[in-house]
Amino acid sequence: MPPHPCDTPKMPPPGSPPQLPKELVLKLYKTMTLLNTMDRILYESQRQGRISFYMTNYGEEGTHVGSAAALDDTDLVFGQYREAGVLMYRGYPLDLFMAQCYGNSSDPGKGRQMPVHYGCRERHFVTISSPLATQIPQAVGAAYAIKRADANRAVICYFGEGAASEGDAHAGFNFAATLECPIVFFCRNNGYAISTPTSEQYRGDGIAARGPGYGLLSIRVDGNDVFAVYNATKEARRRAVAENQPFLIEAMTYRIGHHSTSDDSSAYRSVDEVNYWDKQDHPISRLRHHMLNRGWWDDEQEKAWRKSSRRKVMEAFEQAERKPKPSPQQHLFSDVYREMPPHLKKQRAALERHLQHYGEHYPLEHFEK
């Protein structure tokens, strides 16, 4: 087994394997595989020029779903940009994933965000923003507000080991510890910050080792073991709520896919390295073997589910492609001010005049009227 790019030792999973019921384990597996199917279709969609950008979650599905299952539904989630599985586990529908990536008229963000920047108030998932690590101090502020309200909730904040090098991470860790906030910091250490391996990112022993310096309880877990992730997150969440004790989890995983559709990872890592984590130590295959050994799954169920899940994704995909884009006159200038100020009214009028004169040069047929 080749060393993980982080080149740091792993702690054993906390406690014994959780005695999760069959129905929950099946939900874990089906969420992970559905996410994997959606990733493949949307990645190919971008390659075909149908959407502008995409980021896959290959290899990191266990960190998403294992942690999501250990949370309460009302716990507040701050994601970085690779936590689609958390939102999917909470029941976010496929058609809204697709609508956001296509920026069509059904997109809750009204086409204003680049793809994979999801958000859902009803599922307590804060809308993702592109600047790296900005969500870390924001999450601490939300956790402090929850503490003051005595709301019996926790906040979980996801980020990569590359984002942990940003100054925002220091500020967030320090505020969380000194203000004793009910927050779980969840670091997905997937080996690379885009093209920079962990060996070039830091000289210390990973991210978990930084916790004690801030006064954070910390643990490192096997991020490809969905049960280890579940155990760690469950205990971290309990301590955060019961004791207002912030907790730092470092989940060791591997980013099998490219960083995004703007990246070609073959330029900085070998095919053999990627193939090992894809074929030998993938969180989905590990969970499938567990289910097979328990008699909870078989090859026929696998074949049927793969076919069914692909059909679901393709139906949502085709529906998203048929829908028009949001109206620029209606949505380009709205939702910034309660009452639209004169300078925006003037700009909107100028846009309407421009489109009246030169509309034939724009694909207006693809937009809502």
Side-chain angles (χ1 to χ4, degrees):
M1 173 177 170
H4 187 278
C6 187
D7 203 26
T8 56
K10 296 178 182 178
M11 291 176 61
S16 58
Q19 299 301 310
L20 301 180
K22 175 182 176 180
E23 293 74 19
L24 178 55
V25 175
L26 287 175
K27 182 178 179 181
L28 297 175
Y29 183 73
K30 288 187 174 183
T31 303
M32 292 164 70
T33 48
L34 183 62
L35 175 63
N36 193 259
T37 300
M38 185 180 78
D39 271 351
R40 294 181 187 281
I41 290 172
L42 284 175
Y43 183 85
E44 290 302 320
S45 175
Q46 192 281 335
R47 285 296 186 244
Q48 294 165 7
R50 293 174 163 181
I51 60 176
S52 61
F53 177 82
Y54 194 68
M55 302 182 80
T56 66
N57 305 276
Y58 300 148
E60 301 180 49
E61 298 91 344
T63 63
H64 300 192
V65 177
S67 58
L71 301 171
D72 282 7
D73 290 341
T74 59
D75 290 340
L76 191 59
V77 178
F78 283 79
Q80 181 169 300
Y81 45 53
R82 214 186 297 275
E83 281 80 33
V86 178
L87 194 50
M88 183 175 282
Y89 186 86
R90 290 191 168 188
Y92 198 63
L94 285 170
D95 59 341
L96 289 184
F97 278 113
M98 296 292 176
Q100 199 284 321
C101 288
Y102 272 83
N104 64 29
S105 57
S106 295
D107 174 19
K110 303 177 183 177
R112 295 166 176 159
Q113 282 269 33
M114 63 188 294
V116 307
H117 288 54
Y118 312 112
C120 182
R121 180 190 297 269
E122 295 76 18
R123 291 170 177 83
H124 307 286
F125 191 99
V126 178
T127 301
I128 293 166
S129 58
S130 289
L132 203 63
T134 54
Q135 78 278 9
I136 299 177
Q138 293 167 2
V140 177
Y144 186 53
I146 285 173
K147 174 186 175 180
R148 288 173 59 90
D150 194 22
N152 196 35
R153 297 168 65 197
V155 172
I156 187 166
C157 180
Y158 294 89
F159 52 93
E161 86 287 346
S165 297
E166 295 282 343
D168 281 342
H170 162 78
F173 293 166
N174 196 49
F175 272 117
T178 55
L179 297 174
E180 298 179 340
C181 297
I183 186 169
V184 177
F185 294 109
F186 194 102
C187 176
R188 297 174 291 93
N189 191 331
N190 63 20
Y192 291 91
I194 310 183
S195 60
T196 305
T198 52
S199 60
E200 298 177 17
Q201 290 181 51
Y202 49 74
R203 289 293 178 267
D205 180 21
I207 309 305
R210 302 179 190 178
Y214 292 98
L216 302 176
L217 293 176
S218 306
I219 191 169
R220 178 176 295 147
V221 298
D222 181 351
N224 289 354
D225 181 342
V226 68
F227 298 131
V229 174
Y230 175 90
N231 268 357
T233 310
K234 194 77 172 177
E235 176 61 13
R237 195 257 174 204
R238 186 193 69 79
R239 297 289 291 269
V241 173
E243 305 169 13
N244 286 319
Q245 173 65 62
F247 212 109
L248 171 62
I249 299 172
E250 181 182 17
M252 309 302 290
T253 183
Y254 187 82
R255 194 198 78 211
I256 292 172
H258 306 298
H259 172 73
S260 72
T261 50
S262 302
D263 174 47
D264 178 9
S265 63
S266 65
Y268 54 84
R269 59 183 184 178
S270 70
V271 173
D272 289 341
E273 177 184 311
V274 176
N275 282 341
Y276 169 80
W277 294 97
D278 188 22
K279 306 300 182 185
Q280 302 296 323
D281 198 11
H282 197 288
I284 291 178
S285 59
R286 286 172 66 171
L287 181 56
R288 181 166 60 247
H289 289 317
H290 171 81
M291 293 162 59
L292 290 169
N293 291 337
R294 296 291 298 270
W296 291 351
W297 200 247
D298 58 38
D299 291 340
E300 285 301 314
Q301 288 173 297
E302 176 73 16
K303 184 177 179 180
W305 168 243
R306 292 285 182 174
K307 183 178 180 180
S308 170
S309 61
R310 180 173 176 79
R311 184 176 66 253
K312 291 178 181 178
V313 174
M314 287 303 299
E315 287 173 354
F317 168 79
E318 291 167 1
Q319 184 183 33
E321 265 201 327
R322 289 195 297 266
K323 289 191 174 181
K325 303 291 185 185
S327 166
Q329 294 96 324
Q330 182 178 356
H331 297 304
L332 190 60
F333 303 95
S334 61
D335 296 337
V336 178
Y337 301 93
R338 179 176 293 179
E339 295 183 8
M340 189 179 296
H343 73 279
L344 284 186
K345 290 180 180 179
K346 184 178 179 180
Q347 290 177 28
R348 185 172 66 177
L351 174 64
E352 290 174 352
R353 289 194 302 271
H354 179 80
L355 293 178
Q356 286 174 359
H357 283 89
Y358 304 105
E360 71 273 12
H361 299 290
Y362 297 92
L364 298 181
E365 69 276 7
H366 298 317
F367 291 80
E368 279 187 316
K369 303 301 181 184

